[in-house]
Amino acid sequence: MGEAKVITDQKDARNFAMKNIFAPRLAILSGIATLLLVLAGTDYFTSPASEGGSPAFAAGLFTVAVMLFAAMFLRSRDNQITVIICVLSVIAATYAAEVYVSLRMGRDEAGQVDPLKDARLKVEVVDDLVAKGVHRVAPLGVYPMFQSSKGMLQPLSGLSNSHSVGCNEQGEWIVFELDRFGYNNPSNTVWESSPDIAVVGASTSFGLCVRPGESLTDRLRMVWPKTLNLSFIGSGPASFLRRIYEYLPALRPKVVLIEYNDWLLGALNRENLVSLGFGGQPPTLIGERIGLIEMQDEIDAAIVKEINAAQTEERPRVKAIREGTNPFSLDALKNLMLISSIRKSLDRSRIFAAFADKRARKTVSMSPKELAAIPEASPANLETLRLVLQRAKEFVAGWGGRVVFVYMPLYPTFDQHVRAGFTLHDKTVQIAREVGVDVIDLEYALYDHPEPFSMFSAGGGHYNTAGHKYVGDGIIDAIKKTDLLAEGNSGSKKR
């Protein structure tokens, strides 16, 4: 009998602890977990697809939240605790996975969290190079328009003859040695004779985020050594046309390749035509020079002034980060709560499947109603693109050259700007053909690749070295199938 009483007392003690100590605390945790799931589910449900919105995944989160909430009202305390512990364990494992994925995929404010990657911020890289005595160091960026001697002017290149620190998408900071006009060419000798090819474009043609010598333009240069890179980051078609007007008349290249992708229609819509020297309403985009070559010193002075101001403002923030006094990032907490990194990771395969599968493209393409709400998809913007290509063709034809419109594949996302470009792909190519320029359409070149995401850097949406090689070789093969550069075909170097 005494032994039975001891067992009864132990059960009573356990029941008391579960009812009055453990259960209330578990209920609090359950309430917090339920709230997190509801917040995450709401974010998933309301976010556009470009930000990882997924109604199906949201429904799953809501379901788990309802199960957890309902478990708190089970009559049996044992069953209640068992179910709650099981669900909380799954939730805890999910958030642990989120922390792991975010550490693998992302960067914190202090830079790359992977110890094998360069964790310095760009301003620190610039300062380190200056301390080592490197000449004329600058952070690569899209520099704002400034008041020049000829009115408001948008810089179309980087700081001339500089060592410009680019990006760190592949674990190391890439430093570019820009030429005398601020473009990514291996030397200034390319400006001394007529090139076979001039490549005019934005980040991709520039070679952003890959080492010098590894870009698609460098691939072209391996076959046609006299290739001029006239591309710069963050620019659009109107900027391309201005570069053609300013830099190419004296050089007279045989072929002018114009970069294009699903994003650039939006870039065209955002370009300030007046700051690019295209005044008048409606703009005619007539080929008159501003004189950017002669204004190089003035442009450099404006860029240096902007860089100095930005670096001065940035250094205290970097110091605070390194000393650990920077306030806790609310965005980081929000991303953790909303399981953002896992969402991005899971969405990658879904995105490419939707882009690549013809049957699923209706989920990517926009309806006419959706397109009507996107300014860059307006008929007026498309006509501006038509006019850019028309003016480029007419101008280059003046010295017997030819323009080639190169549609390049882009990192797939459900961003509305990319979706708009994707939807208007056929229309855009049709415009180029109607204008009468040659077209190299590589829009779907990566979708037949067995591992398309391997063509892009893990830290962003730009091509990695493999991507530049794949797309660059596609352009080379397309050119060789035409009569654009017959001499280059016969005398090309082995790749």
Side-chain angles (χ1 to χ4, degrees):
M1 293 292 293
E3 185 177 6
K5 186 174 185 346
V6 172
I7 295 175
T8 300
D9 289 342
Q10 289 178 346
K11 287 183 177 180
D12 289 342
R14 188 193 67 167
N15 290 336
F16 179 85
M18 291 178 65
K19 180 178 180 181
N20 297 286
I21 301 176
F22 189 60
R25 294 178 181 177
L26 200 59
I28 293 174
L29 289 175
S30 299
I32 294 173
T34 301
L35 178 61
L36 289 175
L37 290 174
V38 170
L39 289 174
T42 301
D43 184 71
Y44 272 59
F45 187 77
T46 58
S47 294
S50 63
E51 298 174 6
S54 172
F57 199 88
L61 292 177
F62 286 135
T63 300
V64 175
V66 170
M67 291 173 58
L68 183 58
F69 186 73
M72 291 187 287
F73 296 95
L74 291 175
R75 290 187 177 183
S76 170
R77 185 70 70 180
D78 287 344
N79 291 341
Q80 180 188 90
I81 292 176
T82 300
V83 173
I84 289 176
I85 289 177
C86 289
V87 176
L88 286 180
S89 297
V90 172
I91 295 172
T94 300
Y95 278 100
E98 166 65 19
V99 172
Y100 174 78
V101 173
S102 66
L103 290 176
R104 295 294 298 176
M105 292 180 61
R107 303 180 179 126
D108 61 14
E109 284 196 347
Q112 295 279 4
V113 297
D114 190 329
L116 297 179
K117 297 180 179 179
D118 191 335
R120 293 175 298 170
L121 294 171
K122 183 180 286 189
V123 63
E124 294 176 305
V125 179
V126 171
D127 289 344
D128 288 347
L129 289 173
V130 171
K132 292 177 181 178
V134 177
H135 171 71
R136 206 167 165 81
V137 183
L140 189 70
V142 180
Y143 308 109
M145 65 183 76
F146 69 98
Q147 185 64 46
S148 75
S149 58
K150 297 186 179 180
M152 293 303 296
L153 183 67
Q154 173 64 55
L156 297 181
S157 62
L159 184 65
S160 68
N161 296 313
S162 67
H163 294 82
S164 289
V165 180
C167 60
N168 182 11
E169 289 188 356
Q170 300 187 67
E172 64 174 321
W173 284 100
I174 306 298
V175 180
F176 300 95
E177 295 187 33
L178 304 187
D179 65 24
R180 67 186 184 188
F181 296 120
Y183 293 101
N184 186 19
N185 289 294
S187 72
N188 285 316
T189 57
V190 71
W191 295 94
E192 297 173 0
S193 61
S194 179
D196 292 322
I197 299 175
V199 183
V200 187
S203 301
T204 301
S205 299
F206 176 87
L208 187 65
C209 300
V210 293
R211 296 187 187 99
E214 296 181 352
S215 73
L216 63 87
T217 304
D218 292 311
R219 298 294 298 177
L220 294 174
R221 194 174 282 119
M222 292 174 66
V223 181
W224 297 283
K226 296 170 66 175
T227 294
L228 171 70
N229 191 345
L230 205 59
S231 305
F232 197 70
I233 67 173
S235 52
S239 299
F240 305 167
L241 182 61
R242 172 51 61 195
R243 293 191 195 114
I244 291 173
Y245 286 164
E246 297 294 322
Y247 298 103
L248 296 186
L251 296 176
R252 302 185 171 220
K254 299 173 184 176
V255 174
V256 177
L257 300 182
I258 295 181
E259 174 192 345
Y260 195 82
N261 59 50
D262 292 336
W263 179 259
L264 287 176
L265 191 62
L268 174 61
N269 184 65
R270 293 184 293 274
E271 288 184 296
N272 186 312
L273 296 183
V274 174
S275 71
L276 294 172
F278 299 122
Q281 288 297 330
T284 60
L285 307 186
I286 295 296
E288 297 178 355
R289 292 186 70 246
I290 299 175
L292 295 185
I293 291 178
E294 295 77 14
M295 296 175 67
Q296 190 61 53
D297 289 343
E298 187 177 351
I299 295 170
D300 282 347
I303 292 176
V304 169
K305 181 179 179 180
E306 171 63 24
I307 288 173
N308 289 338
Q311 297 284 89
T312 301
E313 181 179 346
E314 182 71 1
R315 286 190 182 97
R317 187 184 76 87
V318 174
K319 182 179 179 181
I321 291 174
R322 295 311 185 197
E323 293 178 352
T325 59
N326 199 54
F328 183 76
S329 172
L330 293 179
D331 287 339
L333 177 60
K334 176 185 175 183
N335 289 335
L336 175 64
M337 291 171 56
L338 301 179
I339 323 175
S340 299
S341 296
I342 289 180
R343 169 170 36 180
K344 293 177 182 177
S345 181
L346 293 176
D347 281 346
R348 284 164 60 110
S349 58
R350 181 174 66 90
I351 290 170
F352 241 117
F355 270 77
D357 189 349
K358 293 181 179 179
R359 296 168 299 177
R361 284 185 186 160
K362 63 181 180 181
T363 66
V364 176
S365 298
M366 285 183 160
S367 67
K369 183 178 180 180
E370 289 176 311
L371 281 177
I374 307 294
E376 66 221 47
S378 67
N381 199 43
L382 286 168
E383 284 306 306
T384 301
L385 177 62
R386 180 190 297 272
L387 187 57
V388 166
L389 295 178
Q390 181 66 45
R391 294 293 187 234
K393 177 196 173 186
E394 294 169 350
F395 194 75
V396 173
W399 63 74
R402 290 168 66 174
V403 169
V404 182
F405 183 74
V406 185
Y407 210 123
M408 301 182 189
L410 197 64
Y411 186 90
T413 87
F414 282 118
D415 178 274
Q416 65 175 358
H417 304 291
V418 176
R419 288 183 64 204
F422 183 86
T423 305
L424 292 170
H425 165 265
D426 292 349
K427 177 65 174 176
T428 304
V429 171
Q430 179 184 348
I431 287 173
R433 296 190 191 283
E434 289 174 352
V435 167
V437 299
D438 295 277
V439 175
I440 296 176
D441 187 5
L442 300 176
E443 168 74 337
Y444 306 117
L446 292 181
Y447 301 136
D448 294 330
H449 194 279
E451 296 182 1
F453 274 109
S454 67
M455 299 290 103
F456 299 92
S457 62
H462 296 102
Y463 295 158
N464 57 22
T465 302
H468 274 278
K469 180 180 184 300
Y470 191 84
V471 175
D473 288 352
I475 296 172
I476 292 170
D477 291 341
I479 292 176
K480 285 187 172 184
K481 292 177 181 178
T482 70
D483 62 345
L484 289 169
L485 289 167
E487 294 180 3
N489 289 349
S490 61
S492 63
K493 298 179 180 180
K494 183 177 180 181
R495 286 181 285 141

